[in-house]
Amino acid sequence: QYADKGDEPAIVQLMSRLRAAGFRTPGRELVTRFDFPADVRYFHAADRDDAARALAELGGFLREHNIDAPAAPKDLSRSFPNVPEGVVEIWVPRLAPG
């Protein structure tokens, strides 16, 4: 998920980086209904390590845009128990201009 249509080229680059790191990236979703911070979310304990790896990739990307990465991935297993195993979500806020 990303917050600004103008950031799409950077999001495509992030997705390429994630694929190079071994992640499957089925798509991207523009979310403009509300502002949100950078976030990595997982829904099953078995996906915690993948979420941590995704956070490391996201952290490098965000530093390039002068945005702080979250300290840790967010476990949403109790809130969303029906999400399939293997799903890790990455939320990218509006990127800094430049």
Side-chain angles (χ1 to χ4, degrees), residues 13-93:
Q13 289 177 344
L14 173 60
M15 292 175 72
S16 292
R17 289 166 78 163
L18 290 165
R19 281 191 298 276
F23 289 97
R24 189 175 63 84
T25 57
R28 58 188 178 271
E29 178 183 3
L30 178 62
V31 178
T32 59
R33 300 181 301 277
F34 54 90
D35 289 332
F36 52 85
D39 204 5
V40 174
R41 303 169 178 192
Y42 66 98
F43 305 90
H44 294 274
D47 298 321
R48 184 178 307 134
D49 290 344
D50 282 343
R53 286 188 325 107
L55 179 58
E57 292 294 327
L58 177 63
F61 172 81
L62 292 174
R63 278 190 296 279
E64 294 169 9
H65 295 279
N66 300 312
I67 299 173
D68 292 329
K74 189 179 292 181
D75 178 358
L76 295 181
S77 57
R78 289 185 182 196
S79 299
F80 299 96
N82 295 326
V83 173
E85 192 169 319
V87 172
V88 173
E89 292 184 348
I90 297 175
W91 289 71
V92 180

